[in-house]
Amino acid sequence: MGSKAWMYSVAKDDFAANTNKCNKFVFDVAVEAGVTPPPKVSMYLIFSRPPTAGEWADPKVAISGWDVVTSPLPGDVVAEAHRYADATGHVGIVVGPNLTVSASALVGGVIVENDWGFRTDQTPTFRRYTR
């Protein structure tokens, strides 16, 4: 909590400064947790990258090793698609009943824990690692 490693204003690996990194946070946590291979989406059959928040949120997008579920548990990914000028939505990780952690754009990308994804006005997609 409180980490600034995924802040909007800083560069992180292949993500430039002044970009949203909530999907990079989820990717990095999956790698740290031992997910092999880490979740990636192919681009042009040559390159791959972490899924965007919008891809995590779209149940039609196949993310290898991750199944869409309806009853979230700690460790599941939660995502909701939105059309922002500089992002496809938001994505985080379920950590408990009605609790998630994510790189919050509201505080510049600082890692926060809150009820995002479980609010009554939200319709998120949940995915679980199944390998």
Side-chain angles (χ1 to χ4, degrees), residues 73-129:
L73 296 172
D76 291 347
V77 169
V78 55
E80 194 169 49
H82 294 282
R83 290 185 179 199
Y84 298 122
D86 60 351
T88 61
H90 189 58
V91 61
I93 301 167
V94 176
V95 295
N98 300 322
L99 286 174
T100 60
V101 294
S102 64
S104 175
L106 297 177
V107 288
V110 173
I111 304 305
V112 298
E113 179 182 78
N114 57 30
D115 65 345
W116 180 85
F118 291 98
R119 299 171 188 157
T120 57
D121 63 336
Q122 296 177 311
T123 55
T125 299
F126 297 97
R127 292 183 187 250
R128 183 169 300 142
Y129 184 63

